[in-house]
């Protein structure tokens, strides 16, 4: 991911799902199935593709959390954006945590 320019922090909102996220996930599943030659009519294929998208999205959070912290965001603010508690956010994403998520995003570039 490319670093973004420093901008004024905005108040985070908790995550929510709706028609917009449904459409995006459905399109991403279709595109991933096309790239991998899978058929989404097969439930296990669809589950595998969806799990791949979830894994990749999860790999992006540690880097974004670190960037948010660098920009002055508190763990409470990051937790709100993640829909979790500040303690859980810090436990999973703080560079000082012994159990932090250390996965790197998969970037073909």
């Amino acid at each position: 991911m490319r670093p973004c320019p420093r901008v004024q922090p905005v108040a985070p909102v908790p995550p929510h799902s709706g028609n917009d996220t449904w459409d995006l996930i459905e399109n991403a599943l279709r595109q991933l199935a096309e790239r991998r030659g899978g058929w989404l009519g097969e439930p296990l294929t669809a589950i595998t593709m969806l799990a791949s998208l979830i894994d990749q999205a999860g790999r992006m959070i540690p880097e974004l959390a670190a960037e948010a912290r660098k920009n002055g965001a508190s763990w409470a603010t990051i937790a709100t954006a993640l829909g979790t508690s500040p303690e859980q956010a810090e436990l999973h994403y703080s560079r000082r945590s012994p159990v932090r998520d250390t996965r790197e995003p998969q970037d073909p570039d």
Side-chain angles (χ1 to χ4, degrees):
M1 255 194 249
R2 292 179 186 91
C4 49
R6 204 176 242 302
V7 294
Q8 289 292 15
V10 296
V13 295
H16 63 278
S17 297
N19 289 339
D20 55 350
T21 53
W22 173 269
D23 290 342
L24 289 170
I25 293 295
E26 191 174 318
N27 289 335
L29 280 171
R30 224 179 276 121
Q31 289 178 19
L32 188 56
E34 285 176 20
R35 288 181 181 201
R36 294 187 178 174
W39 179 59
L40 292 177
E42 163 52 44
L44 289 177
T45 299
I47 290 169
T48 300
M49 303 275 178
L50 190 55
S52 296
L53 291 170
I54 291 167
D55 178 68
Q56 180 60 36
R59 288 171 177 269
M60 298 169 82
I61 294 174
E63 185 178 326
L64 293 169
E67 188 67 25
R69 290 288 293 162
K70 261 196 266 184
N71 289 338
S74 68
W75 285 115
T77 304
I78 293 168
T80 298
L82 289 168
T84 191
S85 71
E87 296 80 16
Q88 285 297 310
E90 187 171 6
L91 181 67
H92 288 289
Y93 303 111
S94 171
R95 293 182 191 248
R96 295 183 309 238
S97 174
V99 295
R100 73 185 184 280
D101 187 338
T102 59
R103 299 175 300 163
E104 295 287 327
Q106 303 295 321
D107 187 355
D109 293 335

